[in-house]
Amino acid sequence: RVHFRSEVAIKRWFSSPWIDSHPHMVEQIRRVFKEHTDDGYIKAYRVFCDADEEIDQLNLASITCDSLMITGSLEPGSTPAMSQSLAREIGGRVVINEGHLHMALVEHADILMRQVKQFLEQS
């Protein structure tokens, strides 16, 4: 059984103001962590940590469709540098949202949906 340090993850994923103003949602996230009984999360993390060689073998330059990479300036996992590197390789567009963390899709859904909609309308 995997034991998550849910408070560490929550603080890494969400801003303090969001945590303070959404106690019900934070409690739901804590409950999900508490009820989690398999090691799927750890297995997924291993893929992210160990997949560099496989990714390097892909021909990302063969991607020819319009592409959009969105990340937060404070994202510790999918960092702005990673998004910029990917965009250079495939010729995509990068949006870095100032102050956004890992779970920006939850915390700032309206902003991200507006950015995706604008991208799709322009593509």
Side-chain angles (χ1 to χ4, degrees), residues 59-117:
N59 182 11
L60 297 179
S62 69
I63 297 173
T64 59
C65 63
D66 291 339
S67 302
L68 174 65
M69 281 57 67
I70 301 176
T71 194
S73 65
L74 302 176
E75 166 61 74
S78 297
T79 66
M82 292 167 68
S83 293
Q84 290 165 337
S85 176
L86 181 60
R88 277 191 304 275
E89 193 156 348
I90 66 174
R93 181 174 157 222
V94 177
V95 173
I96 299 172
N97 292 312
E98 188 63 36
H100 289 196
L101 291 161
H102 187 65
M103 294 299 283
L105 189 56
V106 173
E107 190 169 349
H108 304 287
D110 55 335
I111 293 170
L112 273 70
M113 292 303 105
R114 189 170 50 250
Q115 291 168 333
V116 169
K117 181 180 177 188

Side-chain angles (χ1 to χ4, degrees), residues 10-111:
I10 289 168
K11 288 178 182 177
R12 182 175 183 237
W13 292 349
F14 298 100
S15 68
S16 294
W18 189 90
I19 292 169
D20 293 343
S21 63
H22 295 84
H24 179 71
M25 291 181 77
V26 172
E27 190 52 42
Q28 286 179 324
I29 294 165
R30 285 187 183 111
R31 195 170 26 255
V32 167
F33 277 127
K34 183 178 178 186
E35 294 171 1
H36 193 267
T37 58
D38 68 43
D39 62 350
Y41 190 82
I42 296 300
K43 287 178 182 176
Y45 249 81
R46 284 191 187 119
V47 169
F48 294 132
C49 293
D50 298 334
D52 288 346
E53 184 176 318
E54 288 83 3
I55 291 171
D56 288 343
Q57 293 175 9
L58 298 174
N59 182 11
L60 297 179
S62 69
I63 297 173
T64 59
C65 63
D66 291 339
S67 302
L68 174 65
M69 281 57 67
I70 301 176
T71 194
S73 65
L74 302 176
E75 166 61 74
S78 297
T79 66
M82 292 167 68
S83 293
Q84 290 165 337
S85 176
L86 181 60
R88 277 191 304 275
E89 193 156 348
I90 66 174
R93 181 174 157 222
V94 177
V95 173
I96 299 172
N97 292 312
E98 188 63 36
H100 289 196
L101 291 161
H102 187 65
M103 294 299 283
L105 189 56
V106 173
E107 190 169 349
H108 304 287
D110 55 335
I111 293 170

